[in-house]
Amino acid sequence: MPLLQIRGLTHYFGGLRAVHNFNLDLEPGELVGIIGPNGAGKTTVFNLITGVYRPTAGEILFNGHSLVGKRPDQIIAMGIARTFQTIRLFKDLSVLDNVRIAHFAQTSYGVMDALFRLPRYRREEAEIRERAMELLDLMGLADQANWVASSLPYGLQRRLEIARALATEPRLLLLDEPAAGMNPGEITELMDLIQWIRRQFNLTIILIEHQMRVVMGICERIKVMDFGETIAEGTPTEVQNNPRVIEAYLGEEAIV
Amino acid sequence: MKERRSVVDNALRPVRALYVAAVRPIQEAYNALPASVRRWTMPAVLLLGFLLSLAAPSLINLYWQQVLIYVGINIILAASLNLINGYMGEFSVGHAGFMAVGAYVASIMTVWVFPRMGLKEAVPYLFPLALTIGGLAAGLTGLVVAIPSFRTRGDYLAIVTLAWNMIVKSVLENLDVVGGPRGFMGMQKLTNLPWVFVWVVVTIYLLRNLIYSNLGRGILSIREDEIASSLVSVDTRRVKIVAFVISSFFAGVAGGLFAHIIQFIDPRTFSILKSTDVLVMVYLGGIGSLGGSILGASIYTILMELLRPLQVWRWVVGPLLLVLLMIFRPRGIMGLREWGFLIPKEERPAFVDALREQVRQKREPAAVPAGASE
Ligand SMILES: Nc1ncnc2c1ncn2[C@@H]1O[C@H](COP(=O)(O)OP(=O)(O)OP(=O)(O)O)[C@@H](O)[C@H]1O
Ligand SMILES: [Mg+2]
């Protein structure tokens, strides 16, 4: 059974059709890319999957369960995590807190346990602290655990956003232009990182990316969107040679 | 604008230097103590504080005892409002409404309910229970206010709480059983310095525990970025409602304490002006900081006492100060910083550093550090 099934997903912002009839079958373990010119509707697809917007039409099934109408936090707790096109860290909070917050849904002690520091609170908090630190250590951020998130250099902020997403223990990870604003060296590191977390955490990944080097380098399958429509789909080579894709990108920066 | 801000900063610089100069030696002396002694410092200080509050009648005159009692009540009010306006970043303006509920309910308990149950002699001992019931009643009304305010995203809280404050006042004015506009009296003078001390410590302790918990981190993440918060699994609606109920509870407790010191409450006491006072204390002391609320409540309460000769003009000071603060110093004196002793041990940087080492020792050497080009 596919991990994620999207059928006829359509979304309007007023009169603007941002996404039209988007379909996707995602098998566990796959890494699929979504590309397309600015305003094509890529981020909107992520927002629809994660419940930020409710789709005008269409169905989204995760593990066979419908996501439409659920709140974002419920969807995340079901095993989907995402990062953002422009970084959205909790800027004034510590690196450790950024990751610990993402354990929210996994925590089961109640308000009274916290107010009176009962054993259940102590036990679970110790566990969260340790797991968060382990994750930071794996992601190469442990040395900065006490730093305020906004004081991290840009590349590490991007990485912290991924770490925070992983802390929710997802099966499906949605990455929205993770390479945006990175220099070529950082991009190479990022590509390694994505492939490494994919294996380490057994992830299925959807990757939105403008950097063709990243998409072509690590995605097995690519969907191309333009004005809300899916205009092409296939392996990197197939997509690259597709005349409709080349046309859509005409006037945009070169595709390779 | 920028220049004026730096004028304020420059003006405050000597104050800050003085503060650091005063605190640094104490800190250093404290850190030099062996751990076994340090562990008992806090209990010892609290015990000393409590003993001083017991001895207060023979140390200071009645007027200053009263001022200190108001300082304590205001600390409870400011710290609890800070949870919503500072830690969570919402804007509630009706704290006095919840204070009123607590004041009236606690007073009804000590004046009517307990005596009618044949417990007239026991009333002084039942005072904490009366305050708790007042707090619970205020918390319940907090729930009623929170549910519609937080139903949808967007900023309804300021409007709803403003309306709430006015509704409470006019309902009380029209409620003849509790005296209507003439007010409610008959309370014994049950609030004294030792009780206030205990309630302040309990309030700060519980709020601190809450802030350094899962729910507290949820509260902070809502202030930082509500959408990102819900997208890392925080049930933002539940967090907001629970935080608001807890905040209202403590406002209710403060109201009960207040009622049993002035021994007469009337609806006008809990007007929007009272709410404004609490707002000033929060933004003066600093948002997102319990230490800030302690500081803000103390400074503002004493300042207002010193300004008594100004008579009615005194009431201009609060709103004016609030506007100036919002423009020049929106985070307040302690904004987003905390006094070390108010931070639980496990949350301090040194503990986190130790945890890192511990995690690294445990890690099997096979793990590949992320980002290392393979
Ligand atoms: N909240 C919103 N309200 C109204 N219109 C929106 C909203 N969000 C996106 N849009 C519009 O929907 C269309 C698709 O936007 P979307 O952000 O999904 O594009 P994208 O493919 O992610 O583009 P980019 O590569 O620039 O990130 C655009 O025309 C955009 O202006
Ligand atoms: Mg986008």
Side-chain angles (χ1 to χ4, degrees), chain B residues 42-329:
Chain B
M42 191 51 132
V45 169
L46 290 179
L47 185 69
L48 184 72
F50 184 68
L51 291 176
L52 279 175
S53 73
L54 280 175
S58 51
L59 296 176
I60 49 177
N61 66 25
L62 217 56
Y63 172 72
W64 279 105
Q65 286 174 48
Q66 188 120 336
V67 170
L68 284 182
I69 285 173
Y70 286 140
V71 166
I73 291 171
N74 287 337
I75 288 174
I76 298 175
L77 287 170
S80 57
L81 184 64
N82 207 335
L83 192 65
I84 305 303
N85 289 32
Y87 288 94
M88 199 156 80
E90 299 280 329
F91 199 70
S92 167
V93 297
H95 219 45
F98 302 107
M99 196 188 168
V101 174
Y104 273 83
V105 170
S107 302
I108 288 170
M109 296 311 290
T110 59
V111 177
W112 291 343
V113 178
F114 293 151
R116 281 177 200 176
M117 287 165 74
L119 297 165
K120 201 167 174 53
E121 273 70 55
V123 165
Y125 305 100
L126 291 172
F127 185 42
L129 182 64
L131 292 177
T132 308
I133 293 172
L136 289 175
L140 198 68
T141 58
L143 184 68
V144 174
V145 172
I147 288 174
S149 312
F150 296 135
R151 173 132 67 203
T152 44
R153 268 183 210 136
D155 227 347
Y156 294 113
L157 189 67
I159 296 156
V160 175
T161 49
L162 182 67
W164 157 252
N165 203 155
M166 300 199 291
I167 289 168
V168 170
K169 191 170 161 260
S170 55
V171 165
L172 288 173
E173 272 166 356
N174 290 294
L175 217 62
D176 266 338
V177 264
V178 290
R182 278 164 290 112
F184 188 88
M185 58 189 100
M187 291 79 93
Q188 300 174 46
K189 195 168 181 174
L190 297 173
T191 301
N192 54 27
L193 214 41
W195 268 132
V196 170
F197 182 81
V198 168
W199 278 101
V200 167
V201 171
V202 167
T203 303
I204 296 294
Y205 176 72
L206 294 180
L207 286 176
R208 182 207 74 158
N209 291 351
L210 185 77
I211 287 154
Y212 295 99
S213 77
N214 201 39
L215 196 86
R217 291 191 295 264
I219 289 172
L220 291 169
S221 71
I222 289 173
R223 177 190 71 207
E224 295 291 307
D225 185 335
E226 188 174 342
I227 297 206
S229 170
S230 67
L231 288 170
V232 293
S233 85
V234 177
D235 182 350
T236 52
R237 185 157 172 251
R238 202 190 114 235
V239 169
K240 286 181 183 179
I241 291 175
V242 174
F244 202 78
V245 168
I246 292 173
S247 169
S248 314
F249 171 87
F250 286 111
V253 169
L257 286 167
F258 181 73
H260 290 83
I261 177 72
I262 57 170
Q263 296 173 276
F264 165 75
I265 47 176
D266 73 321
R268 267 160 305 155
T269 319
F270 306 103
S271 69
I272 212 79
L273 224 54
K274 184 85 205 169
S275 295
T276 312
D277 277 346
V278 187
L279 283 170
V280 180
M281 295 175 217
V282 170
Y283 291 99
L284 172 68
I287 58 162
S289 165
L290 291 173
S293 286
I294 295 173
L295 212 59
S298 309
I299 295 175
Y300 186 67
T301 311
I302 291 171
L303 181 74
M304 287 306 261
E305 282 307 320
L306 298 179
L307 292 181
R308 243 176 217 292
L310 289 183
Q311 294 180 343
V312 281
W313 286 101
R314 205 159 60 110
W315 299 112
V316 183
V317 174
L320 194 69
L321 204 57
L322 185 60
V323 171
L324 290 176
L325 276 167
M326 291 303 230
I327 296 172
F328 294 110
R329 219 146 234 287

Side-chain angles (χ1 to χ4, degrees), chain A residues 62-118:
Chain A
F62 180 66
N63 254 331
H65 301 285
S66 174
L67 300 184
V68 175
K70 287 206 155 60
R71 295 193 312 263
D73 60 282
Q74 295 172 318
I75 293 171
I76 303 305
M78 287 169 77
I80 300 178
R82 70 177 281 188
T83 63
F84 302 89
Q85 187 167 348
T86 47
I87 298 180
R88 297 185 81 155
L89 289 171
F90 305 124
K91 289 196 196 71
D92 292 327
L93 307 183
S94 75
V95 168
L96 182 66
D97 276 344
N98 267 269
V99 172
R100 282 198 294 180
I101 287 164
H103 282 86
F104 190 91
Q106 298 156 43
T107 312
S108 62
Y109 67 79
V111 179
M112 289 298 154
D113 295 311
L115 282 174
F116 298 99
R117 290 166 78 83
L118 300 180

